[in-house]
Amino acid sequence: EVARTKGAGTVAYDWLKPGDTAPSPKISYVRRIPGWDWAIGTGIYVDDVDAVFRQKAPLCANDDGTFTPRKIILEGTGEPSGGHAQQSC
């Protein structure tokens, strides 16, 4: 629908991952190919992005068992060797 009406854009929907029994949220970008009546798209599962984020991002544990990203404050002097980073929850 997005490709047909707007030419291109993002679409959020649920889709069944191979091997799963329930659909997962997915975000895709689609683009209409003029003259061919085609739509080409690519997408990513939201839970895959969340899993990588949780694995790679420095996180802080909350009292309720959830996690939030750690605050990183960069303070610099303008010189390549100057400055430091402070991390806090």
Side-chain angles (χ1 to χ4, degrees):
E1 180 71 17
V2 170
R4 186 174 51 80
T5 59
K6 296 182 180 178
T10 57
V11 182
Y13 56 98
D14 292 336
W15 196 258
L16 192 62
K17 283 183 173 184
D20 282 0
T21 57
S24 298
K26 190 171 185 177
I27 299 173
S28 293
Y29 177 82
V30 295
R31 184 176 192 131
R32 182 176 166 267
I33 307 300
W36 288 81
D37 199 26
W38 287 3
I40 295 179
T42 186
I44 191 164
Y45 287 98
V46 175
D47 58 349
D48 288 344
V49 175
D50 288 344
V52 170
F53 178 79
R54 285 187 189 101
Q55 181 184 36
K56 301 287 184 181
L59 299 176
C60 297
N62 299 319
D63 291 337
D64 63 0
T66 61
F67 294 89
T68 55
R70 183 180 302 273
K71 295 176 190 170
I72 300 174
I73 301 169
L74 301 175
E75 296 177 349
T77 61
E79 297 297 320
S81 61
H84 65 282
Q86 295 178 340
Q87 297 186 26
S88 63
C89 289

